[in-house]
Amino acid sequence: MNVPPQLRVASQPRERLLAGAIAVVAGLVVFFIATELFPYHSSNHDEGVYLQQASMLLDGQLQMRPGVFGDAVRPWFFVDNGETMYPKYQPLPAGLYAIAMALFGEPRVTLALVAAGNTTLVYVLGAMAFDRKVGVVGAGAFAFAPMTLITSSVFLPYAPTTVFNLAFAVAYLRSYRTGSIPAAIAAGLLIGTAFFMRPFTAVLFAAPFILHALWELFTAIRDRSTDLASLAVPDAITRQAATATMGLAFVVLALAYNTYLTGSPLLFPFQAFAPMDGPGFGIRRILGHGIEYTPAVAFESNTAVLYYLLTRWAPAGIVGSLLAVVGLVFSSRFRGLIPGLRGVSIPGDATPRRLIAGLFVTVPGGNFFFWGNHNVLANPADPTDGFLGQFGPFYHFDVLVPVAIFAAAGAVGLWRGRSAVASRFDDVIPSTGRRAVAVSVLVAFLLLSGGVNAALLDGPVERNAAQTATYEDAYAPFEEAEFDNAMVFVPTPYGPWLNHPFQYLRNDGGLDGDAVYVLQQDPQRKFELVDAAGDRSLYRYTYRGQWTVDPDEREINPALQELTVREGETLDGTTTVGIPEQVSHAVVRIETDAGFSSATVTDPANSTTVGWSLSNSSASLDRVGGESLENATVAVESVDQVVLTVRLVQQGAGTLTYRQEAAVRTTDEGMSAVWPPERTVCSFVDDCGREGTYLPEKPEQHRDGVFFETELEDAT
């Protein structure tokens, strides 16, 4: 018989429908945060690694083949293996993002689905451990915890791995409860998948379940030894063997992946990138950052991390954490110590409660050996600094699950025990008013919890919004540009990496997109890239200012400049600069790797024009102002950088220097140069880097009287 849809819906327990609604809302909220708070991604540049990896997977690649672009396209946290490059991270988190990119063109859909999935699974676990009401409250507590909302809204692997960890827990417990072999197989597949995503995280989550499985096997074998006449294999052995087999199959797959990329099954890509970056004590190091990670350092860091987790990032902060303590006591033989809980029975099953509570031990205990928890704290005494201040202690993301479930158990247990407490006030409150009082207390608690979450979120949102504001400024030129077969040179404020910090500027996996982003290079490499670009249009992304880690100190003015390669037997250049007041004289200098030549201008006017040229493997100063020069020539190497400076000397010994740098090379036909040059205007020094970048489009950014014009033409 067909049941009408409305009757089917009505037949569902209201808790299940409410949990589904919470999951949907959680997904929508995460999608909103991901798009509005992190439109250009966050300050955690690992996001770009996973999205770059997702793009590669869509192109059928596990590793990038840069070809003629070489190390100029090396993304952040990629291992350079010569002819290939591969990310230090496992591929499955990126694979989830790739699916959404392929189906919807928007990887943030994965973030929303992960948030909804985690919320749903917390409900199921809460219902298994206690009952559906606890499951609903636990789902809400988990879904809207500050760390859940922030960490789930960025392209990092922690929330996605938790989906598979929680699904494993549900399948394992269902198999244990019903004896289902398919559920046991599913449990193995799910924890194996989690291992392939984040091995250390999966092992810490699975540890209580592994101990339970071993105990079950021991018990089954012990009981089997007393009944040797029976040929039947105990149910526990069959189930655990199925789970272990499927789990180990994925372990083998992970080792095969290691072999393919690193050449050794036991060498994970993250170890190939930074051999001293794994768990353990002693010297820990990644790139230029390293410390001696001692038990004392581990204790200080992890104590701070857990304190901030329980007071700032858990559901309702300290309120939720205290309720979790109540829930733990309520679930134990000591529940009689809490007034109002003595007569309240514990619903559910003790086994899932014990296994979920075990995460309070295994996740923090395992993380004690991982120095990453030291790194998320820029300053252990300051919870607003470093990655922890923006995303929370994300290595402990799985701890949110037991906190949420036991906080829900504590809240629901106290609610159910309210009659025992209320009976003490029979003489004060009439029976007709007790329900109103109880409802008032519940509403007040919900408002308090929501208010605490909102207050705790305010700081991280503000800090992340400050980062986003600077990213919005930085990427403004790209919002107005439409690329079609272009190559863009990108600056390297943090070293020779793409997507660090500009992770929004990512290449397609096959390096064949509308734009290929390459790192700024020395003249030799720059010309090699120009040749490799073929018929692609050339651009330079630059900015005036200084890129700092602290967004409050980061103020840049970006520009996207179109580049050309000027060629000719002789190239004539003209550079005109403004002369502010009180300048006594100017020194003009042209320089290459072979040497320099200079001239002095006395009593300059409001501007000075310098004529210079490139020909016959040399660079020459031809005229300064109205005066022609002779023998002001310097040799140019086969590939070189020609630097022209005009240093203005002011009364009182102050200086202002105009500087332009152009990559040049000699050819069979004469000379060629990448144009326009990079220009700076610097006070007191001749070279002040990007802080003095001159942007022709924004001359108003400099003091009165300062302007900088330059031209280069084929004179033949």
Side-chain angles (χ1 to χ4, degrees), residues 610-632:
V610 178
W612 53 281
S613 61
L614 302 171
S615 64
N616 299 321
S617 300
S618 64
S620 302
L621 283 177
D622 299 325
R623 63 188 182 280
V624 176
E627 181 180 350
S628 297
L629 303 176
E630 296 181 1
N631 301 321

Side-chain angles (χ1 to χ4, degrees), residues 340-637:
L341 294 185
R342 294 187 182 92
V344 180
S345 62
I346 307 174
D349 188 343
T351 296
R353 289 199 292 270
R354 294 190 185 109
L355 295 179
I356 295 169
L359 297 175
F360 282 123
V361 178
T362 61
V363 176
N367 273 285
F368 184 84
F369 298 95
F370 181 45
W371 79 306
N373 291 285
H374 173 81
N375 292 332
V376 299
L377 286 164
N379 178 1
D382 186 356
T384 68
D385 202 2
F387 279 159
L388 184 138
Q390 293 175 253
F391 310 101
F394 40 74
Y395 295 120
H396 289 77
F397 189 83
D398 285 344
V399 174
L400 289 178
V401 175
V403 171
I405 290 175
F406 282 101
V412 173
L414 290 174
W415 176 254
R416 287 170 176 164
R418 69 192 186 281
S419 58
V421 176
S423 64
R424 301 182 181 184
F425 300 94
D426 285 344
D427 297 335
V428 180
I429 303 175
S431 59
T432 55
R434 290 179 203 147
R435 180 177 297 275
V437 172
V439 171
S440 299
V441 171
L442 176 61
V443 171
F445 169 74
L446 293 176
L447 291 175
L448 173 64
S449 299
V452 171
N453 274 340
L456 292 173
L457 270 172
D458 186 61
V461 167
E462 183 178 342
R463 287 186 284 275
N464 283 301
Q467 297 280 355
T468 296
T470 61
Y471 290 142
E472 187 174 12
D473 293 339
Y475 298 129
F478 295 94
E479 297 291 336
E480 303 168 0
E482 292 186 7
F483 294 124
D484 181 15
N485 200 35
M487 184 173 76
V488 184
F489 288 93
V490 179
T492 57
Y494 291 161
W497 308 93
L498 280 177
N499 317 137
H500 181 56
F502 304 112
Q503 58 179 326
Y504 191 65
L505 308 179
R506 293 187 309 277
N507 287 316
D508 287 351
L511 299 174
D512 55 0
D514 291 335
V516 173
Y517 299 97
V518 297
L519 301 171
Q520 287 280 22
Q521 301 286 326
D522 58 52
Q524 176 72 41
R525 193 74 180 96
K526 182 174 292 186
F527 274 107
E528 291 175 0
L529 292 171
V530 168
D531 293 340
D535 61 352
R536 287 182 178 271
S537 301
L538 304 177
Y539 294 87
R540 176 197 296 129
Y541 173 54
T542 189
Y543 58 83
R544 171 180 168 81
Q546 184 178 13
W547 191 278
T548 63
V549 175
D550 187 349
D552 294 333
E553 299 176 0
R554 182 192 311 156
E555 184 175 353
I556 67 168
N557 293 281
L560 188 64
Q561 300 169 343
E562 188 167 5
L563 302 177
T564 60
V565 178
R566 303 289 173 87
E567 297 179 302
E569 183 176 345
T570 298
L571 297 176
D572 279 349
T574 301
T575 299
T576 303
V577 300
I579 309 295
E581 297 179 354
Q582 298 183 342
V583 171
S584 61
H585 64 281
V587 178
V588 181
R589 171 174 166 142
I590 195 165
E591 180 179 0
T592 68
D593 287 344
F596 69 92
S597 184
S598 63
T600 300
V601 180
T602 59
D603 194 22
N606 292 333
S607 66
T608 291
T609 298
V610 178
W612 53 281
S613 61
L614 302 171
S615 64
N616 299 321
S617 300
S618 64
S620 302
L621 283 177
D622 299 325
R623 63 188 182 280
V624 176
E627 181 180 350
S628 297
L629 303 176
E630 296 181 1
N631 301 321
T633 300
V634 62
V636 173
E637 304 291 341

